[in-house]
Amino acid sequence: MDRFAHYEWPFFEPRHAALARRAESFASASLGFAHGEDADAICRRLVQDFGCAGFLHHCVSESPDVRSIALLREVFAYHAGLADFAFAMAGLSTVPIALAGSAALKKKYLARTAAGEAIAAFALSEPQAGSDAKALATTARRDGSGWILDGTKTWISNGGIADFFVVFARAEEGISAFVVEAGEVDASERIEIVAPHPMATIKLSGARGELLGEAGQGFQLAMRNLDIFRPTVAAASLGFSRRAMDEAVRHATERKLFGRALAEFQMSQAKIADMATAIDAGSLLAYRAAWVKDQGKGRNTREAAMAKMFATESAQKIVDDAVQLCGGLGVMRGHPVERLYREVRALRIYEGATEVQKLVIARDVLKGAPA
Ligand SMILES: Cc1cc2nc3c(=O)[nH]c(=O)nc-3n(C[C@H](O)[C@H](O)[C@H](O)COP(=O)(O)OP(=O)(O)OC[C@H]3O[C@@H](n4cnc5c(N)ncnc54)[C@H](O)[C@@H]3O)c2cc1C
């Protein structure tokens, strides 16, 4: 199956297929190192390499092209989970500055991020505020022309290696966004997860921050950001899914048992058919959500939630079936499908767990229901 065939779909323009092919040739030549042990060092190098190659430019645009960010995530995820992670975090954390930042904030952060010279992080979640993000307790108060922040943020990707954080805190006017330099926070409490990524709990104790956008408008900014990034989480899970299917198909055609190739058994074929169908359905949902956003005709919240929910849930099943087809090899540490099995799990949790996406979709459907 041509892994690039879907870029000919009507959601795309010729520039998208060209970008995907450029990313593919970069990724196949340059991402071998991204499967090493030291996730911090790998991510630092990935950000520099992406900056030099020009890919981070897509993360600092004031009108981000969601299809481009999504397809880059799909291509990078196919090759290495950490590559997708490093690219996605640059976008998730910098797009809010591009969307709402003052001219001074944009000047200070966007060019450095695009060049791969600064690592960004996005700090919304707290120990008592995950799915219920509005329950956040970090506070912000005015201090002269600046702001002082106090509180604890957790599950912060890039915590420990980030140069700056976009932090959401409660001000007198309501939830507001701030940019906080790494030197202002304590990111020494690191968190280890099933597929190693740089991550930390960060403590703000009298931390100085610069207001991002208007005071009281931070939650709306976070939600606008999610409308952009949820379709790209779906796209990343498609990258993992396509890789899992390719590995499984290769194994099933090569492996002989009971005198035949594994792929000749109908139970194997049923798994392969389900994988291919779920990948196409997920791609249609993901790139529809991205396309709707790129049309600039209003919000894509429902489409983004559907895409994220369906593609991440399907990816879990596809990767699990790939492990099953590979037998013992599928759980051998370092095998591509074993890596995917660990990588794919968190996608059903972050940026809104599946249950949260269901609430978003149902709320939107019920809004249109007769009273
Ligand atoms: C790998 C990873 C990276 C992350 N990176 C970041 C980051 O960079 N910045 C950041 O701010 N946060 C980040 N997070 C945090 C992430 O956004 C939260 O983990 C997520 O919002 C869920 O919050 P929680 O873990 O507190 O779970 P909880 O909110 O306690 O939810 C637990 C579970 O309850 C279920 N649930 C939730 N709501 C409902 C409901 N209404 N009805 C029924 N069931 C429900 C879901 O299954 C959910 O998984 C990251 C998390 C992970 C795992």
Side-chain angles (χ1 to χ4, degrees):
M1 193 165 113
D2 178 2
R3 204 153 51 77
F4 292 85
H6 58 299
Y7 298 124
E8 304 301 328
W9 290 352
F11 295 129
F12 294 103
E13 297 164 28
R15 68 190 164 97
H16 292 115
L19 178 63
R21 290 194 189 278
R22 191 165 81 75
E24 173 64 22
S25 68
F26 168 89
S28 32
S30 321
L31 291 182
F33 76 95
H35 297 296
E37 292 291 316
D38 185 345
D40 286 9
I42 291 168
C43 287
R44 284 195 184 96
R45 181 169 156 197
L46 282 166
V47 168
Q48 284 169 359
D49 290 358
F50 286 148
C52 288
F55 294 119
L56 296 180
H57 157 80
H58 294 280
C59 301
V60 301
S61 164
E62 289 172 28
S63 43
D65 185 70
V66 186
R67 290 166 293 174
S68 296
I69 298 174
L71 73 84
L72 286 170
R73 286 196 68 175
E74 183 181 334
V75 172
F76 295 147
Y78 184 91
H79 289 275
L82 275 182
D84 166 58
F85 167 84
F87 177 75
M89 286 316 300
L92 183 74
S93 321
T94 316
V95 162
I97 301 178
L99 291 179
S102 62
L105 277 181
K106 287 179 187 169
K107 185 158 182 264
K108 190 164 166 190
Y109 292 105
L110 298 189
R112 279 166 66 213
T113 305
E117 290 163 6
I119 297 180
F122 180 86
L124 176 64
S125 304
E126 298 185 1
Q128 302 306 326
S131 306
D132 185 8
K134 268 192 182 157
L136 64 82
T138 296
T139 58
R141 62 187 156 84
R142 281 199 164 81
D143 178 54
S145 58
W147 292 76
I148 301 285
L149 281 75
D150 289 282
T152 300
K153 296 284 177 184
T154 193
W155 306 117
I156 306 309
S157 300
N158 274 346
I161 65 165
D163 296 297
F164 68 91
F165 296 80
V166 169
V167 179
F168 295 84
R170 193 172 295 284
E172 213 175 84
E173 296 86 345
I175 294 174
S176 309
F178 300 87
V179 185
V180 178
E181 285 283 321
E184 296 287 323
V185 312
D186 174 3
S188 58
E189 188 183 328
R190 301 297 294 270
I191 302 171
E192 286 187 26
I193 56 171
V194 61
H197 295 176
M199 177 172 274
T201 293
I202 63 163
K203 298 196 175 74
L204 301 109
S205 174
R208 298 203 155 272
E210 291 179 78
L211 182 67
L212 169 56
E214 282 179 47
Q217 296 298 310
F219 196 74
Q220 286 82 342
L221 179 60
M223 294 304 111
R224 271 171 77 198
N225 206 33
L226 289 181
D227 285 349
I228 293 169
F229 280 93
R230 280 180 180 157
T232 78
V233 179
S237 58
L238 289 164
F240 292 139
S241 298
R242 287 183 201 280
R243 180 63 184 265
M245 184 170 74
D246 287 356
E247 294 292 338
V249 166
R250 183 166 51 232
H251 179 79
T253 47
E254 286 169 6
R255 176 71 173 163
K256 300 282 186 297
L257 64 177
F258 305 108
R260 298 153 79 180
L262 178 58
E264 288 178 40
F265 292 94
Q266 287 190 346
M267 276 187 280
S268 309
Q269 293 175 6
K271 284 193 175 65
I272 292 166
D274 287 347
M275 288 178 178
T277 306
I279 288 172
D280 272 12
S283 302
L284 286 162
L285 284 171
Y287 290 110
R288 177 192 56 167
W291 173 82
V292 169
K293 186 75 186 158
D294 288 341
Q295 298 315 294
K297 291 182 187 154
R299 295 195 64 175
N300 64 336
T301 309
R302 172 175 167 163
E303 292 87 350
M306 286 178 169
K308 200 231 172 216
M309 175 180 78
F310 184 85
T312 59
E313 290 288 330
S314 309
Q316 186 80 50
K317 172 83 170 79
I318 289 166
V319 170
D320 191 62
D321 280 349
V323 169
Q324 197 70 13
L325 277 164
C326 290
L329 284 175
V331 290
M332 189 178 78
R333 189 159 282 274
H335 190 280
V337 298
E338 179 271 338
R339 258 191 345 246
L340 291 163
Y341 191 71
R342 288 181 290 108
E343 286 287 354
V344 79
R345 188 61 184 87
L347 278 67
R348 290 166 57 207
I349 298 170
Y350 69 65
E351 288 186 39
T354 293
E355 291 77 3
V356 170
Q357 309 304 334
K358 287 189 181 181
L359 290 181
V360 171
I361 297 162
R363 244 182 242 141
D364 193 72
V365 172
L366 291 170
K367 220 168 49 188

